[in-house]
């Protein structure tokens, strides 16, 4: 799972002025490695001006499409996203890590469920994969999407969403919320906030009919919608969230006070791809990930912000403290999984395993 593979870019389509959809050509021998579930993401790697740059982008194709496609939206100051939007062309080669992520629920052809999704901006990317896959895999299920943007010109996958709505007229409801473009219905104007979500739940969506809700977008939008859904009666375990690294504020680690006589160093063992490597690090100066990279171990990572879960591993021995966690579910943390980019050892010995998936 930690290995990068060179994949050729088969197609680059400009969805909006600042967003492209990139389709990869996956050779037959790599099909097993790049089989994916709806809502998962890819970590892409490129050398840009001599710098090793990695970013994670959500897959936006349906599982049934037999196509591997991601969307890359240019963000202000975004090194990789700007480079990709300006330079990626068919025939180019990118280093790509196999799909990862848990932003989904198991599907069953016999299920008859009503799914709800709130997305903002490029948050539609994994939602599109989830919606297309679900409507194909569960013929009796329905989907309702609330999609927020500044204006019509910034709507990613607008034509594809329109086609989906026409194809599944009785099973898919889709509304756009615009913050800088006036629409006839006042409910559909403004930003997707906790209050706005509350209005949707009061006037348009019956929460008693919802089985699972997906939320993808900026942090404040995500938390606001989640609170509104729970306040309306939807259980927390029925709400799935997915954040993008670009949408969260930067976090700086605050060193802990070290008791007199306490050992400052930790011996860390990393198990990855069936091999074990050890190194010694200070308990509180850098994360497990940064210390491992400095020790020469090619540990997998992408955002380094606690968002993408690429650096997810399980603590087998010892203890760590995790500063930030936007990616792991509560049950994963309870089972000992951590994000190595945000984890700092608090015991003299720590063993982490990147090979354990569940």
């Amino acid at each position: 799972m930690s290995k990068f593979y060179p994949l050729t870019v088969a197609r680059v389509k400009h969805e909006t002025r600042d967003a492209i959809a990139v389709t990869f050509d996956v050779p037959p021998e790599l099909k097993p490695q790049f089989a994916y579930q709806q809502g998962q993401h890819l970590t892409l790697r490129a050398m840009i001006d001599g710098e090793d740059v990695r970013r994670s982008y959500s897959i936006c194709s349906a599982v049934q499409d037999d196509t591997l496609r991601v969307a890359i939206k240019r963000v202000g100051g975004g090194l990789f996203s700007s480079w990709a939007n300006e330079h990626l062309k068919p025939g180019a080669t990118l280093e790509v890590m196999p799909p990862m992520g848990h932003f989904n629920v198991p599907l069953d052809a016999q299920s008859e469920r009503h799914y709800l999704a709130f997305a903002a901006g490029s948050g539609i990317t994994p939602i599109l994969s989830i919606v297309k896959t679900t409507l194909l895999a569960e013929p009796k299920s329905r989907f309702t999407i609330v999609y927020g943007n500044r204006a019509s010109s910034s709507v990613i996958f607008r034509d594809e969403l329109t086609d989906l709505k026409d194809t599944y007229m009785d099973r898919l409801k889709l509304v756009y919320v615009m913050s800088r473009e006036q629409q006839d219905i006042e409910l559909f104007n403004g930003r997707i906030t906790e209050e706005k979500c509350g209005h949707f739940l009061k006037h348009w969506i019956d929460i008693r009919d919802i089985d699972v809700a997906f939320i993808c977008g900026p942090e404040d939008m995500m938390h606001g919608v989640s609170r509104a859904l729970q306040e309306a009666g939807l259980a927390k375990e029925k709400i799935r969230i997915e954040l993008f690294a670009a949408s969260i504020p930067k976090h700086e680690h605050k060193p802990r006070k070290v008791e007199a006589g306490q050992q400052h160093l930790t011996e860390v063992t990393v198990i990855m791809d069936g091999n074990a490597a050890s190194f010694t690090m200070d308990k509180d100066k850098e994360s497990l990930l940064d210390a491992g990279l400095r020790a020469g171990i090619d540990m997998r990572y992408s955002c380094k912000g606690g968002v993408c879960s690429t650096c997810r591993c399980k603590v087998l021995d010892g203890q760590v403290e995790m500063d930030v966690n936007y990616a792991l579910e509560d049950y994963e943390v309870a089972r000992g999984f951590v994000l190595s980019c945000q984890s700092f050892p608090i015991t003299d010995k720590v063993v982490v395993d990147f090979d354990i998936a569940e």
Side-chain angles (χ1 to χ4, degrees):
M1 287 299 296
S2 60
K3 184 178 180 181
F4 283 94
Y5 296 86
L7 293 184
T8 301
V9 174
R11 185 185 183 197
V12 177
K13 180 183 179 184
H14 286 266
E15 293 290 340
T16 67
R17 183 179 62 185
D18 295 322
I20 56 174
V22 180
T23 303
F24 292 101
D25 180 15
V26 182
E29 64 272 19
L30 291 182
K31 291 285 187 181
Q33 286 89 335
F34 285 92
Y36 61 88
Q37 294 179 316
Q38 68 280 8
Q40 289 192 306
H41 62 263
L42 300 176
T43 297
L44 311 183
R45 177 185 188 182
M47 293 298 294
I48 303 175
D49 296 331
E51 181 182 352
D52 181 349
V53 185
R54 309 177 186 198
R55 296 292 186 271
S56 293
Y57 294 100
S58 294
I59 297 169
C60 52
S61 43
V63 171
Q64 300 90 337
D65 288 343
D66 193 30
T67 299
L68 189 65
R69 184 181 62 155
V70 299
I72 303 177
K73 182 179 180 181
R74 186 198 303 262
V75 296
L79 179 59
F80 194 102
S81 63
S82 296
W83 173 84
N85 272 266
E86 293 170 7
H87 298 289
L88 272 189
K89 299 288 189 297
T93 300
L94 277 178
E95 296 286 318
V96 185
M97 193 179 288
M100 301 182 69
H102 305 277
F103 187 49
N104 50 51
V105 295
L107 300 180
D108 183 348
Q110 303 305 314
S111 292
E112 189 172 348
R113 292 182 279 197
H114 187 182
Y115 299 92
L116 173 65
F118 280 86
S122 56
I124 194 63
T125 308
I127 298 298
L128 180 61
S129 173
I130 292 168
V131 171
K132 291 178 68 177
T133 300
T134 301
L135 292 175
L136 286 167
E138 295 187 351
K140 299 178 183 178
S141 290
R142 295 170 291 141
F143 233 111
T144 294
I145 307 173
V146 180
Y147 183 18
N149 281 277
R150 293 190 300 273
S152 301
S153 60
S154 62
V155 175
I156 306 175
F157 300 121
R158 188 178 186 95
D159 291 343
E160 199 163 335
L161 288 167
T162 299
D163 290 343
L164 269 178
K165 193 174 179 182
D166 291 342
T167 302
Y168 300 101
M169 296 182 63
D170 298 328
R171 299 170 55 205
L172 175 61
K173 291 183 179 179
L174 169 65
V175 297
Y176 294 101
V177 178
M178 302 292 181
S179 61
R180 299 182 186 176
E181 182 178 297
Q182 193 69 18
Q183 300 186 91
D184 293 337
I185 301 176
E186 186 57 33
L187 180 61
F188 301 157
N189 295 321
R191 301 170 69 89
I192 299 179
T193 61
E194 181 175 356
E195 181 182 12
K196 175 71 70 176
C197 181
H199 289 316
F200 271 106
L201 297 174
K202 182 177 180 180
H203 301 290
W204 195 64
I205 300 168
D206 184 357
I207 199 67
R208 296 169 298 180
D209 191 42
I210 301 300
D211 296 289
V212 180
F214 296 94
I215 313 170
C216 190
E219 184 183 14
D220 55 348
M221 168 258 186
M222 176 197 74
H223 290 311
V225 171
S226 180
R227 285 193 298 267
L229 292 175
Q230 292 179 67
E231 180 68 23
L234 190 64
K236 183 180 179 181
E237 57 268 22
K238 294 184 177 181
I239 301 172
R240 308 305 303 272
I241 61 175
E242 179 88 338
L243 263 177
F244 290 148
S247 68
I248 64 168
K250 295 295 183 182
H251 170 82
E252 290 189 11
H253 174 67
K254 294 181 179 180
R256 302 185 308 274
K257 290 183 179 180
V258 179
E259 300 294 334
Q262 183 178 356
Q263 182 172 317
H264 288 260
L265 297 179
T266 295
E267 181 185 345
V268 179
T269 298
V270 173
I271 301 170
M272 188 167 56
D273 298 331
N275 299 310
S278 298
F279 59 91
T280 301
M281 64 175 289
D282 190 287
K283 285 182 179 175
D284 213 37
K285 285 186 177 178
E286 55 189 345
S287 67
L288 286 175
L289 174 65
D290 286 337
L293 293 172
R294 188 171 53 81
I297 302 174
D298 190 17
M299 296 167 69
R300 65 169 182 252
Y301 71 92
S302 178
C303 74
K304 286 192 175 183
V307 175
C308 71
S309 80
T310 304
C311 68
R312 176 182 181 266
C313 58
K314 186 172 185 177
V315 178
L316 301 183
D317 190 12
Q319 290 180 288
V320 303
E321 282 189 352
M322 196 161 42
D323 273 10
V324 169
N325 170 33
Y326 295 106
L328 301 179
E329 300 289 344
D330 291 344
Y331 75 87
E332 293 178 283
V333 176
R335 292 175 184 173
F337 287 97
V338 298
L339 303 172
S340 62
C341 74
Q342 296 294 321
S343 295
F344 296 78
I346 58 175
T347 53
D348 297 341
K349 181 181 179 182
V350 171
V351 178
V352 293
D353 192 336
F354 281 80
D355 293 342
I356 300 176
E358 300 298 334

